[in-house]
mmCIF file with all atom_site columns, all heavy atoms in Angstrom:
data_model
loop_
_atom_site.group_PDB
_atom_site.id
_atom_site.type_symbol
_atom_site.label_atom_id
_atom_site.label_alt_id
_atom_site.label_comp_id
_atom_site.label_asym_id
_atom_site.label_entity_id
_atom_site.label_seq_id
_atom_site.pdbx_PDB_ins_code
_atom_site.Cartn_x
_atom_site.Cartn_y
_atom_site.Cartn_z
_atom_site.occupancy
_atom_site.B_iso_or_equiv
_atom_site.pdbx_formal_charge
_atom_site.auth_seq_id
_atom_site.auth_comp_id
_atom_site.auth_asym_id
_atom_site.auth_atom_id
_atom_site.pdbx_PDB_model_num
ATOM 1  N N   . CYS D 1 80 ? -37.882 28.015 -48.803 1.00 78.00 ? 92  CYS D N   1
ATOM 2  C CA  . CYS D 1 80 ? -37.566 29.421 -49.005 1.00 78.00 ? 92  CYS D CA  1
ATOM 3  C C   . CYS D 1 80 ? -36.062 29.655 -48.972 1.00 78.00 ? 92  CYS D C   1
ATOM 4  O O   . CYS D 1 80 ? -35.292 28.817 -48.518 1.00 78.00 ? 92  CYS D O   1
ATOM 5  C CB  . CYS D 1 80 ? -38.279 30.297 -47.994 1.00 78.00 ? 92  CYS D CB  1
ATOM 6  S SG  . CYS D 1 80 ? -37.847 29.973 -46.295 1.00 78.00 ? 92  CYS D SG  1
ATOM 7  N N   . LEU D 1 81 ? -35.695 30.813 -49.476 1.00 82.00 ? 93  LEU D N   1
ATOM 8  C CA  . LEU D 1 81 ? -34.308 31.212 -49.586 1.00 82.00 ? 93  LEU D CA  1
ATOM 9  C C   . LEU D 1 81 ? -34.207 32.636 -49.053 1.00 82.00 ? 93  LEU D C   1
ATOM 10 O O   . LEU D 1 81 ? -35.009 33.489 -49.408 1.00 82.00 ? 93  LEU D O   1
ATOM 11 C CB  . LEU D 1 81 ? -33.886 31.161 -51.057 1.00 82.00 ? 93  LEU D CB  1
ATOM 12 C CG  . LEU D 1 81 ? -32.494 31.603 -51.432 1.00 82.00 ? 93  LEU D CG  1
ATOM 13 C CD1 . LEU D 1 81 ? -31.494 30.527 -51.008 1.00 82.00 ? 93  LEU D CD1 1
ATOM 14 C CD2 . LEU D 1 81 ? -32.399 31.805 -52.931 1.00 82.00 ? 93  LEU D CD2 1
ATOM 15 N N   . GLY D 1 82 ? -33.250 32.884 -48.189 1.00 87.00 ? 94  GLY D N   1
ATOM 16 C CA  . GLY D 1 82 ? -33.011 34.221 -47.673 1.00 87.00 ? 94  GLY D CA  1
ATOM 17 C C   . GLY D 1 82 ? -31.587 34.625 -47.993 1.00 87.00 ? 94  GLY D C   1
ATOM 18 O O   . GLY D 1 82 ? -30.665 33.839 -47.795 1.00 87.00 ? 94  GLY D O   1
ATOM 19 N N   . PHE D 1 83 ? -31.414 35.830 -48.508 1.00 89.00 ? 95  PHE D N   1
ATOM 20 C CA  . PHE D 1 83 ? -30.071 36.264 -48.881 1.00 89.00 ? 95  PHE D CA  1
ATOM 21 C C   . PHE D 1 83 ? -29.928 37.776 -48.751 1.00 89.00 ? 95  PHE D C   1
ATOM 22 O O   . PHE D 1 83 ? -30.908 38.503 -48.805 1.00 89.00 ? 95  PHE D O   1
ATOM 23 C CB  . PHE D 1 83 ? -29.727 35.832 -50.312 1.00 89.00 ? 95  PHE D CB  1
ATOM 24 C CG  . PHE D 1 83 ? -30.559 36.484 -51.381 1.00 89.00 ? 95  PHE D CG  1
ATOM 25 C CD1 . PHE D 1 83 ? -30.105 37.625 -52.033 1.00 89.00 ? 95  PHE D CD1 1
ATOM 26 C CD2 . PHE D 1 83 ? -31.788 35.965 -51.740 1.00 89.00 ? 95  PHE D CD2 1
ATOM 27 C CE1 . PHE D 1 83 ? -30.869 38.224 -53.022 1.00 89.00 ? 95  PHE D CE1 1
ATOM 28 C CE2 . PHE D 1 83 ? -32.553 36.555 -52.727 1.00 89.00 ? 95  PHE D CE2 1
ATOM 29 C CZ  . PHE D 1 83 ? -32.096 37.693 -53.372 1.00 89.00 ? 95  PHE D CZ  1
ATOM 30 N N   . VAL D 1 84 ? -28.694 38.204 -48.557 1.00 91.00 ? 96  VAL D N   1
ATOM 31 C CA  . VAL D 1 84 ? -28.355 39.621 -48.569 1.00 91.00 ? 96  VAL D CA  1
ATOM 32 C C   . VAL D 1 84 ? -27.874 39.931 -49.978 1.00 91.00 ? 96  VAL D C   1
ATOM 33 O O   . VAL D 1 84 ? -26.965 39.281 -50.493 1.00 91.00 ? 96  VAL D O   1
ATOM 34 C CB  . VAL D 1 84 ? -27.263 39.945 -47.531 1.00 91.00 ? 96  VAL D CB  1
ATOM 35 C CG1 . VAL D 1 84 ? -26.840 41.398 -47.645 1.00 91.00 ? 96  VAL D CG1 1
ATOM 36 C CG2 . VAL D 1 84 ? -27.755 39.637 -46.135 1.00 91.00 ? 96  VAL D CG2 1
ATOM 37 N N   . ASP D 1 85 ? -28.488 40.914 -50.590 1.00 89.00 ? 97  ASP D N   1
ATOM 38 C CA  . ASP D 1 85 ? -28.193 41.294 -51.972 1.00 89.00 ? 97  ASP D CA  1
ATOM 39 C C   . ASP D 1 85 ? -27.020 42.274 -51.994 1.00 89.00 ? 97  ASP D C   1
ATOM 40 O O   . ASP D 1 85 ? -27.198 43.482 -52.056 1.00 89.00 ? 97  ASP D O   1
ATOM 41 C CB  . ASP D 1 85 ? -29.444 41.904 -52.599 1.00 89.00 ? 97  ASP D CB  1
ATOM 42 C CG  . ASP D 1 85 ? -29.334 42.066 -54.091 1.00 89.00 ? 97  ASP D CG  1
ATOM 43 O OD1 . ASP D 1 85 ? -28.406 41.502 -54.686 1.00 89.00 ? 97  ASP D OD1 1
ATOM 44 O OD2 . ASP D 1 85 ? -30.198 42.759 -54.657 1.00 89.00 ? 97  ASP D OD2 1
ATOM 45 N N   . LEU D 1 86 ? -25.810 41.745 -51.936 1.00 89.00 ? 98  LEU D N   1
ATOM 46 C CA  . LEU D 1 86 ? -24.621 42.592 -51.834 1.00 89.00 ? 98  LEU D CA  1
ATOM 47 C C   . LEU D 1 86 ? -24.365 43.419 -53.089 1.00 89.00 ? 98  LEU D C   1
ATOM 48 O O   . LEU D 1 86 ? -23.871 44.541 -53.007 1.00 89.00 ? 98  LEU D O   1
ATOM 49 C CB  . LEU D 1 86 ? -23.392 41.735 -51.515 1.00 89.00 ? 98  LEU D CB  1
ATOM 50 C CG  . LEU D 1 86 ? -23.430 41.032 -50.159 1.00 89.00 ? 98  LEU D CG  1
ATOM 51 C CD1 . LEU D 1 86 ? -22.231 40.115 -49.995 1.00 89.00 ? 98  LEU D CD1 1
ATOM 52 C CD2 . LEU D 1 86 ? -23.494 42.042 -49.027 1.00 89.00 ? 98  LEU D CD2 1
ATOM 53 N N   . ASN D 1 87 ? -24.716 42.883 -54.266 1.00 87.00 ? 99  ASN D N   1
ATOM 54 C CA  . ASN D 1 87 ? -24.508 43.650 -55.493 1.00 87.00 ? 99  ASN D CA  1
ATOM 55 C C   . ASN D 1 87 ? -25.747 44.460 -55.899 1.00 87.00 ? 99  ASN D C   1
ATOM 56 O O   . ASN D 1 87 ? -25.748 45.088 -56.955 1.00 87.00 ? 99  ASN D O   1
ATOM 57 C CB  . ASN D 1 87 ? -24.048 42.740 -56.642 1.00 87.00 ? 99  ASN D CB  1
ATOM 58 C CG  . ASN D 1 87 ? -25.012 41.621 -56.901 1.00 87.00 ? 99  ASN D CG  1
ATOM 59 O OD1 . ASN D 1 87 ? -26.081 41.548 -56.313 1.00 87.00 ? 99  ASN D OD1 1
ATOM 60 N ND2 . ASN D 1 87 ? -24.626 40.723 -57.792 1.00 87.00 ? 99  ASN D ND2 1
ATOM 61 N N   . ILE D 1 88 ? -26.781 44.427 -55.081 1.00 84.00 ? 100 ILE D N   1
ATOM 62 C CA  . ILE D 1 88 ? -28.007 45.227 -55.215 1.00 84.00 ? 100 ILE D CA  1
ATOM 63 C C   . ILE D 1 88 ? -28.606 45.133 -56.624 1.00 84.00 ? 100 ILE D C   1
ATOM 64 O O   . ILE D 1 88 ? -28.905 46.124 -57.258 1.00 84.00 ? 100 ILE D O   1
ATOM 65 C CB  . ILE D 1 88 ? -27.761 46.695 -54.804 1.00 84.00 ? 100 ILE D CB  1
ATOM 66 C CG1 . ILE D 1 88 ? -27.040 46.743 -53.467 1.00 84.00 ? 100 ILE D CG1 1
ATOM 67 C CG2 . ILE D 1 88 ? -29.069 47.458 -54.708 1.00 84.00 ? 100 ILE D CG2 1
ATOM 68 C CD1 . ILE D 1 88 ? -26.687 48.125 -52.999 1.00 84.00 ? 100 ILE D CD1 1
ATOM 69 N N   . ASN D 1 89 ? -28.804 43.905 -57.098 1.00 85.00 ? 101 ASN D N   1
ATOM 70 C CA  . ASN D 1 89 ? -29.442 43.720 -58.404 1.00 85.00 ? 101 ASN D CA  1
ATOM 71 C C   . ASN D 1 89 ? -30.831 43.084 -58.286 1.00 85.00 ? 101 ASN D C   1
ATOM 72 O O   . ASN D 1 89 ? -31.472 42.837 -59.288 1.00 85.00 ? 101 ASN D O   1
ATOM 73 C CB  . ASN D 1 89 ? -28.555 42.899 -59.337 1.00 85.00 ? 101 ASN D CB  1
ATOM 74 C CG  . ASN D 1 89 ? -28.321 41.492 -58.850 1.00 85.00 ? 101 ASN D CG  1
ATOM 75 O OD1 . ASN D 1 89 ? -28.759 41.111 -57.776 1.00 85.00 ? 101 ASN D OD1 1
ATOM 76 N ND2 . ASN D 1 89 ? -27.612 40.714 -59.647 1.00 85.00 ? 101 ASN D ND2 1
ATOM 77 N N   . GLY D 1 90 ? -31.273 42.770 -57.070 1.00 80.00 ? 102 GLY D N   1
ATOM 78 C CA  . GLY D 1 90 ? -32.617 42.249 -56.866 1.00 80.00 ? 102 GLY D CA  1
ATOM 79 C C   . GLY D 1 90 ? -32.792 40.765 -57.088 1.00 80.00 ? 102 GLY D C   1
ATOM 80 O O   . GLY D 1 90 ? -33.905 40.268 -57.055 1.00 80.00 ? 102 GLY D O   1
ATOM 81 N N   . ARG D 1 91 ? -31.726 40.039 -57.303 1.00 79.00 ? 103 ARG D N   1
ATOM 82 C CA  . ARG D 1 91 ? -31.830 38.590 -57.462 1.00 79.00 ? 103 ARG D CA  1
ATOM 83 C C   . ARG D 1 91 ? -30.633 37.914 -56.781 1.00 79.00 ? 103 ARG D C   1
ATOM 84 O O   . ARG D 1 91 ? -29.613 38.544 -56.537 1.00 79.00 ? 103 ARG D O   1
ATOM 85 C CB  . ARG D 1 91 ? -31.929 38.193 -58.925 1.00 79.00 ? 103 ARG D CB  1
ATOM 86 C CG  . ARG D 1 91 ? -30.722 38.505 -59.738 1.00 79.00 ? 103 ARG D CG  1
ATOM 87 C CD  . ARG D 1 91 ? -30.908 38.009 -61.176 1.00 79.00 ? 103 ARG D CD  1
ATOM 88 N NE  . ARG D 1 91 ? -29.670 38.061 -61.869 1.00 79.00 ? 103 ARG D NE  1
ATOM 89 C CZ  . ARG D 1 91 ? -29.224 39.096 -62.544 1.00 79.00 ? 103 ARG D CZ  1
ATOM 90 N NH1 . ARG D 1 91 ? -29.963 40.187 -62.617 1.00 79.00 ? 103 ARG D NH1 1
ATOM 91 N NH2 . ARG D 1 91 ? -28.054 39.068 -63.138 1.00 79.00 ? 103 ARG D NH2 1
#
Side-chain angles (χ1 to χ4, degrees):
C92 61
L93 177 74
F95 66 95
V96 175
D97 192 13
L98 296 175
N99 57 6
I100 311 177
N101 64 356
R103 65 178 192 271

